[in-house]
């Protein structure tokens, strides 16, 4: 299988703290309240889900409409319970996942004394040897090694919460071992699995609709967003660079890429002109549009569906979070691995669980005839990186308050300094440019002006 960017050429012509008792399935009614991305209140009732989404889940997951509604409702509850337990368990938390037709929640811990807390919250407890923090530390070391030099014949690595290990997929045992050695990680925490997977980026204002870059390549819209009063949409970074112009599915002038990161991450946003109105919708491709109510992240094992301009609607499940994948252009970290298929031109398109936006299509391997593995860039880090708000059925949600964790890409230098308290309106220089402070704050090491547009405006 080929691992390359799938840039389709155009045809010539928070976690919010929620009481567990309030998360009963009967309580999943009403419209979700707006809040910081990823902290939306319980989503609207599963009874209101799009017929198109239900049809796609029946086709791809073998679930009839009633089973799909029940599963999604259970997944909503599981996500909220898992988020609360992650906070309360602290350093002993070792991951969460759902499984089975009813999406039963399992939460792992390294501390056997915490099992009662987990079961009281309604989840199955599992005691394991390694905390999620420890495993993610190993994965972070692998990510850093890949940034120094992209590994040869090592397409994917991730934390497998069910196995309680880091998994490195490699074309050969030797390739995997060489990667571990370059990163200097404890091989006792890593499983090297042989794999022929060859993921590639799927590049070929409603989520899933087509758009064209500089009149040639085609990608798909992820989700409608706003930055202040400016309308736009989120999409994949490999689809275009800052300054790339776009036309819509109708080939009419649409907008311009304002920010783009690829490789490293795979996210971008496009500012659109006044002729395009952002809608809280994802294209159901003949099965009815899906309404976006928020961006609460789902857990491992949850169902997820994708909309893209090449293959339309397809569904599957979330396999691993925080995955790293190597494309020919470089390594992408922090993506989510899924069993959903995709093809060239689907890149940038919408991933959604129920009515909760999950992310934008990045890349993958295989196709929608024989099946495949696809990766999506989670939406909330994208919103954080560019200071965007998601357009939802309740209006735009507020942007996340936490700054992004991506390392700065601009060179250091200038008057900006970590540890300094800046007032709104203060100006600094950094990397040869001048910035104005938008929100009063005390700077931390990775909150550089170039990396946190929610705090600094370049002038």
């Amino acid at each position: 299988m080929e691992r390359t960017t799938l840039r389709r050429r155009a045809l010539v012509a928070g976690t919010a703290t929620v009481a567990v008792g309030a998360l009963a399935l009967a309580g999943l009614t009403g419209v979700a309240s707006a809040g910081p991305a990823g902290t939306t209140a319980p989503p609207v009732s599963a009874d209101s889900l799009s017929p198109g989404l239900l049809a796609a889940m029946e086709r791809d997951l073998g679930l009839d409409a009633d089973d799909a509604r029940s599963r999604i409702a259970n997944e909503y509850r599981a996500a909220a319970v898992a988020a609360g337990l992650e906070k309360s368990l602290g350093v002993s938390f070792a991951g969460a996942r759902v499984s089975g037709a009813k999406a039963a929640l399992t939460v792992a811990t390294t501390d056997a004394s915490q099992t009662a807390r987990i079961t009281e919250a309604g989840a199955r407890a599992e005691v394991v040897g390694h905390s999620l923090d420890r495993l993610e530390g190993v994965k972070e070391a692998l990510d850093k090694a890949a940034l120094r030099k992209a590994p040869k014949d090592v397409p994917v690595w991730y934390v497998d919460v069910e196995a309680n290990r880091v998994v490195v997929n490699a074309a050969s045992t030797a390739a995997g071992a060489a990667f571990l050695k370059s990163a200097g990680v404890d091989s006792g925490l890593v499983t090297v699995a042989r794999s022929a997977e060859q993921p590639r980026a799927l590049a070929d204002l409603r989520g899933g609709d087509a758009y064209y870059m500089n009149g040639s390549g085609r990608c798909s819209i992820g989700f409608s967003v706003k930055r202040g009063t400016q309308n736009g949409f989120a999409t994949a970074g490999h689809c275009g660079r800052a300054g790339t112009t776009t036309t819509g599915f109708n080939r009419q002038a649409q907008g311009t890429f304002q920010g783009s990161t690829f490789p490293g991450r795979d996210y971008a946003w496009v500012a659109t002109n006044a002729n395009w109105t952002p809608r809280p919708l994802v294209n159901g491709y003949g099965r009815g549009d899906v309404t976006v109510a928020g961006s609460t992240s789902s857990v491992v094992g949850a169902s997820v569906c994708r909309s893209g301009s090449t293959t339309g609607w397809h569904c599957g499940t979330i396999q691993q979070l925080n995955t790293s994948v190597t494309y020919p252009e470089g390594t992408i970290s922090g993506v989510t691995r899924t069993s959903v298929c995709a093809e060239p031109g689907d890149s940038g398109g919408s991933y959604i669980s129920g009515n909760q936006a999950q992310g934008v299509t990045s890349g993958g391997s295989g196709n929608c005839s024989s099946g495949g593995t696809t990766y999506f860039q989670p939406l909330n880090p994208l919103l954080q990186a560019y200071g965007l708000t998601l357009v939802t059925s309740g209006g735009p949600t507020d942007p996340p308050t936490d700054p992004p964790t991506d390392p700065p890409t601009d060179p250091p230098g200038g008057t900006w300094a970590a540890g300094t308290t800046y007032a709104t309106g203060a100006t600094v220089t950094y990397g040869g440019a001048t910035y104005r402070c938008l929100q009063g704050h005390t700077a931390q090491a990775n909150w550089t002006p170039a990396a946190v547009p929610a705090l600094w405006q370049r002038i």
Side-chain angles (χ1 to χ4, degrees):
M1 291 180 288
E2 180 188 12
R3 182 172 75 252
T4 183
T5 56
L6 288 184
R7 187 183 180 94
R8 170 58 60 87
R9 306 304 300 178
L11 298 177
V12 175
T15 305
T17 302
V18 182
V20 171
L23 297 172
L25 292 181
L28 292 175
T29 58
V31 177
S33 60
T39 64
T40 310
V44 298
S45 170
D47 292 336
S48 66
L49 295 173
S50 157
L53 182 142
L54 296 175
M57 292 183 70
E58 180 175 7
R59 180 194 63 201
D60 295 337
L61 296 174
L63 300 172
D64 63 27
D66 289 339
D67 288 340
R69 290 188 186 96
S70 176
R71 175 165 175 164
I72 288 172
N74 288 340
E75 289 171 354
Y76 285 161
R77 179 175 62 177
V81 172
L85 286 171
E86 180 175 7
K87 182 176 181 180
S88 62
L89 295 176
V91 295
S92 74
F93 179 75
R97 65 185 188 275
V98 294
S99 58
K102 297 187 180 298
L105 176 64
T106 298
V107 174
T109 178
T110 58
D111 184 352
S113 69
Q114 297 286 358
T115 57
R117 182 192 297 267
I118 295 171
T119 55
E120 287 170 1
R124 185 178 77 87
E126 184 174 74
V127 180
V128 297
H130 312 300
S131 70
L132 186 60
D133 282 348
R134 185 179 184 190
L135 294 177
E136 288 190 336
V138 172
K139 182 185 171 294
E140 182 179 356
L142 294 173
D143 292 346
K144 289 179 178 178
L147 287 175
R148 294 192 296 269
K149 182 179 181 181
K152 181 177 176 57
D153 295 329
V154 182
V156 180
W157 56 99
Y158 51 80
V159 174
D160 187 331
V161 294
E162 184 173 8
N164 194 228
R165 295 180 66 78
V166 175
V167 175
V168 172
N169 286 350
S172 67
T173 302
F179 184 35
L180 299 187
K181 183 177 180 180
S182 71
V185 301
D186 181 358
S187 60
L189 298 176
V190 181
T191 296
V192 176
R194 293 195 62 179
S195 173
E197 183 178 354
Q198 294 184 334
R200 71 277 193 206
L202 297 172
D204 174 47
L205 271 143
R206 177 180 56 175
D209 281 354
Y211 71 91
Y212 299 86
M213 299 83 72
N214 287 339
S216 56
R218 170 168 59 84
C219 276
S220 301
I221 293 173
F223 296 94
S224 296
V225 298
K226 285 180 172 286
R227 184 172 180 180
T229 60
Q230 174 63 59
N231 296 330
F233 61 85
T235 189
H238 71 262
C239 290
R241 296 303 187 200
T244 298
T245 59
T246 69
T247 55
F249 66 92
N250 55 5
R251 298 301 188 119
Q252 298 300 305
Q254 182 188 63
T256 306
F257 276 74
Q258 300 298 301
S260 176
T261 299
F262 180 80
R265 296 292 190 268
D266 193 5
Y267 48 51
W269 83 284
V270 174
T272 55
N273 61 43
N275 295 328
W276 296 83
T277 302
R279 304 291 188 190
L281 300 173
V282 172
N283 190 341
Y285 283 93
R287 297 179 176 87
D289 291 342
V290 177
T291 299
V292 179
S295 58
T296 300
S297 299
S298 292
V299 299
V300 170
S303 60
V304 68
C305 296
R306 178 195 55 72
S307 178
S309 60
T310 298
T311 59
W313 266 111
H314 285 277
C315 298
T317 58
I318 291 174
Q319 295 176 319
Q320 284 88 26
L321 308 177
N322 191 21
T323 298
S324 295
V325 55
T326 298
Y327 302 141
E329 297 86 352
T331 296
I332 312 300
S333 298
V335 293
T336 297
R337 189 170 185 249
T338 78
S339 64
V340 188
C341 70
E343 295 183 9
D346 287 327
S347 267
S350 323
Y351 263 86
I352 189 165
S353 290
N355 55 30
Q356 297 297 298
Q358 299 298 309
V360 298
T361 304
S362 174
S365 56
N367 55 52
C368 288
S369 296
S370 60
T373 299
T374 308
Y375 305 87
F376 69 80
Q377 166 67 56
L379 182 63
N380 289 332
L382 186 160
L383 299 176
Q384 290 176 342
Y386 299 120
L388 304 172
T389 60
L390 175 66
V391 176
T392 69
S393 54
T397 61
D398 293 335
T401 55
D402 293 336
T405 56
D406 292 347
T409 56
D410 283 7
T415 61
W416 178 89
T420 304
T421 299
Y422 293 104
T424 301
T427 59
V428 297
T429 58
Y430 181 83
T434 302
Y435 296 83
R436 178 182 293 110
C437 180
L438 300 177
Q439 301 179 49
H441 66 284
T442 299
Q444 297 189 22
N446 63 338
W447 297 8
T448 62
V452 194
L455 297 179
W456 295 98
Q457 178 183 42
R458 185 167 176 166
I459 57 176

